[in-house]
Amino acid sequence: SMLGATTALLQRHAVSKRAAVAAASMVRFKSTSLQKKAIRALGSTKPVNNNPKKVNDVAGNHHEPNGVLQLNADLILDPPPMGSVKDEPISMPFKQEEDEQKEQQLNTYPEPQSEEEGVRTPPVVDGQLHEFAPKIVVAGVGGAGGNAVNNMIAKELQGVDFLALNTDAQHLSTTLTDQRLQLGVELTRGLGCGANPDAGRMAAIECKAAIEDALRDAHMVFITAGMGGGTGTGAAPVIAETAYEMGILTVAVVTLPFTFEGSHRRRLAMEGVEQMQQVVDTLIVIPNQNLFSLATDDTSFVDAFRMADDVLLAGVKSITDLMTSPGLINLDFADVQSVMHGMGNALLGTGVASGEDRARVAAAQALDNPLLGSEMDIATAKGMLVNITGGPDMTLHEVDKAAQSITNSVLDQNANIIFGSAYDESLQGSIRVSVVATGIDPVPP
């Protein structure tokens, strides 16, 4: 064999130098076992490593399948006396795999990559992942929208961001939020639209990039405006379309003018409502004329408009409470989205009751909101989001009564009805039921 021939060459002194070099250059081993036998035969126990990137480990199990054993040519040309081979080990470097450090690295679980390396790792606090709450923005457009935002801020609505947009710089400065955007700086010069919806639309288009920046990272947007004027009627559809194109769940709550404001203003308002229907997921219309059904002779003009603003406040609060307040049944943003995405006409209602049979009474009040009028039939709802809130004395049976009252009011057996229950310590002795009904058809004439 080649191993025996090589050993014989080393032990014989009569071999020629040229033959020895030729024999050494032809010796190649393809087996780890042959390498070990050759080293033992030649008397070497620890081969010298001539490659700083690799370490020869003869006793290891990790070797290249086609390793090459290189003999020391000088030793072959001038062989030592017999019996002295083991006293002077021959240097025999040969190709092997990575060293033990590489093997240890392969067996070690890699550290998480940093954000600079393209992988985001969720922040951890006390062993728990952060809870990422959805960003909800309430955008008030025009004078009426700005007033609605001020009302919600004054009543300390939590869990939302407020944004005021107007072409009237003077009115914009009176809003209570720091997030303000003046529309049409070059077009209107901060002087308003003069009840011209076309001017409001152009003003919003002029600032579309700024609107996108203001709504960036939002998951849901409530757009509130008064229809019939210039900024609300013209700019609100542009803002809603911008949010809709950004993939944001877009809900609009708009008001219609009083009858005494004239037919021209009402016609402009209805045109604005038609435009809004094309660019929002859900639209809620509140006719101001219905305020007379709630107002008394002693109700002030300001208080009457606050009633309309409270409809928006109750709707937003019912949604945020479901996702942020502790309770028996908590809902996430995906639940809200499933009920409100692309559903068209909607109704908002809230009822609060105490005493005997309070759960059923509160549910009945929520389903019958006189401010929303009788133009829409809530029984035709395709989706419904229900929030039943109470204090520590609210019982499971009361939640069941309220839920059954609402479920029985919907005709469609396949309607997507999602219930949630929140806890509010201030409601000791009372129960509040809030309903957001979507996909509602108008009442036939």
Side-chain angles (χ1 to χ4, degrees):
S1 64
M2 298 179 69
L3 177 60
T6 305
T7 306
L9 286 175
L10 294 175
Q11 294 176 349
R12 294 173 55 187
H13 296 280
V15 67
S16 65
K17 293 183 178 181
R18 179 176 300 176
V21 173
S25 64
M26 295 176 60
V27 177
R28 294 179 180 273
F29 298 93
K30 297 185 179 181
S31 167
T32 302
S33 61
L34 291 178
Q35 291 177 359
K36 294 179 180 180
K37 291 179 180 178
I39 293 171
R40 287 197 297 270
L42 295 174
S44 176
T45 58
K46 291 185 179 181
V48 179
N49 178 22
N50 292 330
N51 186 350
K53 295 184 178 180
K54 297 182 182 294
V55 177
N56 293 317
D57 182 10
V58 176
N61 297 322
H62 305 284
H63 300 283
E64 289 290 336
N66 295 323
V68 177
L69 177 64
Q70 299 177 353
L71 300 181
N72 194 319
D74 294 336
L75 182 61
I76 296 175
L77 296 177
D78 189 13
M82 293 297 293
S84 62
V85 176
K86 292 184 179 181
D87 296 333
E88 297 179 6
I90 300 175
S91 175
M92 300 178 60
F94 54 92
K95 186 178 180 182
Q96 297 183 0
E97 285 187 351
E98 296 293 341
D99 55 11
E100 295 178 358
Q101 294 180 357
K102 180 179 179 181
E103 181 180 359
Q104 183 179 5
Q105 182 180 4
L106 292 175
N107 294 331
T108 304
Y109 191 81
E111 293 293 331
Q113 292 178 302
S114 62
E115 293 188 8
E116 290 75 13
E117 297 178 79
V119 178
R120 290 181 177 269
T121 56
V124 178
V125 177
D126 297 332
Q128 300 295 327
L129 293 177
H130 274 304
E131 296 182 1
F132 294 97
K135 181 179 180 181
I136 301 176
V137 177
V138 177
V141 185
N147 293 336
V149 166
N150 286 343
N151 180 63
M152 285 184 281
I153 294 176
K155 295 190 176 181
E156 300 180 350
L157 177 64
Q158 303 295 322
V160 300
D161 296 337
F162 296 100
L163 174 65
L165 309 96
N166 205 338
T167 57
D168 186 347
Q170 181 178 1
H171 188 276
L172 187 63
S173 64
T174 64
T175 55
L176 301 179
T177 177
D178 294 332
Q179 302 298 320
R180 306 184 185 97
L181 180 58
Q182 182 178 344
L183 303 176
V185 176
E186 298 296 330
L187 180 66
T188 67
R189 303 290 182 178
L191 301 178
C193 294
N196 184 355
D198 291 334
R201 179 176 60 84
M202 295 303 297
I205 293 175
E206 177 186 316
C207 302
K208 188 171 184 179
I211 296 171
E212 291 177 350
D213 291 338
L215 299 179
R216 198 172 306 278
D217 298 328
H219 298 88
M220 184 176 187
V221 174
F222 285 89
I223 298 176
T224 176
M227 296 288 101
T231 304
T233 307
V238 177
I239 297 169
E241 184 178 15
T242 302
Y244 193 79
E245 291 175 349
M246 294 173 66
I248 303 172
L249 181 62
T250 308
V251 180
V253 182
V254 299
T255 59
L256 296 179
F258 288 100
T259 303
F260 62 75
E261 294 183 75
S263 59
H264 174 70
R265 191 175 182 88
R266 181 172 181 81
R267 179 179 59 81
L268 295 178
M270 297 307 298
E271 292 176 358
V273 169
E274 292 177 2
Q275 294 175 8
M276 291 291 287
Q277 287 177 331
Q278 307 301 319
V279 293
V280 298
D281 290 294
T282 303
L283 176 64
I284 301 165
V285 179
I286 303 175
N288 284 339
Q289 191 66 23
N290 292 342
L291 291 173
F292 285 103
S293 62
L294 294 178
T296 64
D297 294 339
D298 298 329
T299 302
S300 67
F301 194 66
V302 174
D303 291 339
F305 277 101
R306 284 178 180 169
M307 293 179 185
D309 294 339
D310 286 343
V311 174
L312 174 62
L313 172 64
V316 176
K317 182 175 175 58
S318 66
I319 292 174
T320 56
D321 285 351
L322 285 175
M323 294 184 288
T324 60
S325 299
L328 298 173
I329 307 173
N330 288 329
L331 305 182
D332 54 29
F333 178 74
D335 294 321
V336 176
Q337 191 173 32
S338 67
V339 173
M340 305 193 74
H341 177 66
M343 295 300 287
N345 295 320
L347 291 175
L348 293 175
T350 300
V352 180
S354 59
E356 185 178 357
D357 207 15
R358 57 183 182 174
R360 187 191 60 79
V361 173
Q365 292 177 357
L367 293 172
D368 184 21
N369 190 340
L371 277 181
L372 300 177
S374 58
E375 290 81 8
M376 298 290 173
D377 186 5
I378 198 171
T380 62
K382 307 299 185 300
M384 191 171 286
L385 193 66
V386 183
N387 182 9
I388 304 172
T389 307
D393 60 335
M394 182 176 66
T395 66
L396 181 61
H397 287 287
E398 288 179 317
V399 174
D400 178 68
K401 285 183 180 180
Q404 288 292 341
S405 298
I406 294 171
T407 302
N408 294 336
S409 67
V410 179
L411 299 177
D412 190 352
Q413 298 297 321
N414 296 320
N416 183 20
I417 303 177
I418 298 180
F419 289 92
S421 178
Y423 173 80
D424 187 347
E425 188 175 356
S426 64
L427 288 176
Q428 175 72 30
S430 302
I431 287 181
R432 181 175 66 237
V433 178
S434 299
V435 175
V436 180
T438 60
I440 299 176
D441 297 331
V443 175

